[in-house]
Amino acid sequence: MKRVDVVSAMIYDVEENILMVKNVKGYWEIPGGAVEKGEHLHQAVIREVREETGYVVKVNELHSVREAFFQDKMHHALIFTFFAEIIGGEMNILDPDHDIEEVKWVSTQAAGKLNPQLFRMLKLKKQTHAFYKFEGNRTIG
């Protein structure tokens, strides 16, 4: 299996809505993606959020580290999720891979309905401190 590092960002607005993106495959998630060669984690978060949402962010503390095996792609992924805050830009999809079709702010409750599995994995209702979790074998979507 190929080892892949992935980053994502938990971004809240002043009303405690969370920023989510809709993948062209039809599922909702928080902004993020693979770390490119030579990139450190914070750089990857900044780049991915900018590409997928148009926003420029400041990366804050660690939210979680999760680990999963994606059998369909033969990837062993370490998923680093950070809290981030918007410091510039405007909502606009700039994704060079054309993987994102929609960006929107949603309530935590709506996030749980859009992607219940992600909601549970990220412990969105219970999160009070950083955590690590091995999630086993997974499929995309």
Side-chain angles (χ1 to χ4, degrees), residues 13-14 114 123:
D13 67 9
V14 294
L114 289 173
K123 302 179 182 183

Side-chain angles (χ1 to χ4, degrees), residues 71-101:
Q71 297 295 338
D72 53 338
K73 291 191 173 192
M74 296 301 294
H75 287 170
H76 172 198
L78 284 181
I79 307 159
F80 301 89
T81 301
F82 293 90
F83 289 104
E85 62 185 276
I86 294 173
I87 59 171
E90 59 184 44
M91 191 179 289
N92 186 20
I93 301 170
L94 306 170
D95 180 24
D97 300 321
H98 307 289
D99 289 333
I100 303 301
E101 66 179 36

Side-chain angles (χ1 to χ4, degrees), residues 8-9 11 19 31-32 44-57 84 92:
S8 59
I11 306 168
L19 188 61
V45 172
I46 292 166
R47 178 185 50 76
E48 286 289 344
V49 170
R50 176 86 171 136
E51 288 176 358
E52 293 185 358
T53 71
Y55 290 117
V56 177
V57 295
N92 186 20

Side-chain angles (χ1 to χ4, degrees), residues 116-134:
Q117 181 182 10
L118 179 68
F119 187 87
R120 282 188 307 277
M121 287 186 303
L122 291 175
K123 302 179 182 183
L124 289 181
K125 274 193 155 181
K126 303 174 191 172
Q127 177 63 24
T128 58
H129 59 278
F131 68 91
Y132 164 82
K133 179 164 175 62
F134 176 69

Side-chain angles (χ1 to χ4, degrees), residues 19 22 25 28 34 37 40 68 85 88 110 112 122 126 135:
L19 188 61
K22 184 178 182 187
K25 294 180 181 176
W28 287 91
K37 185 176 181 174
H40 63 68
E85 62 185 276
L122 291 175
K126 303 174 191 172
E135 297 175 351

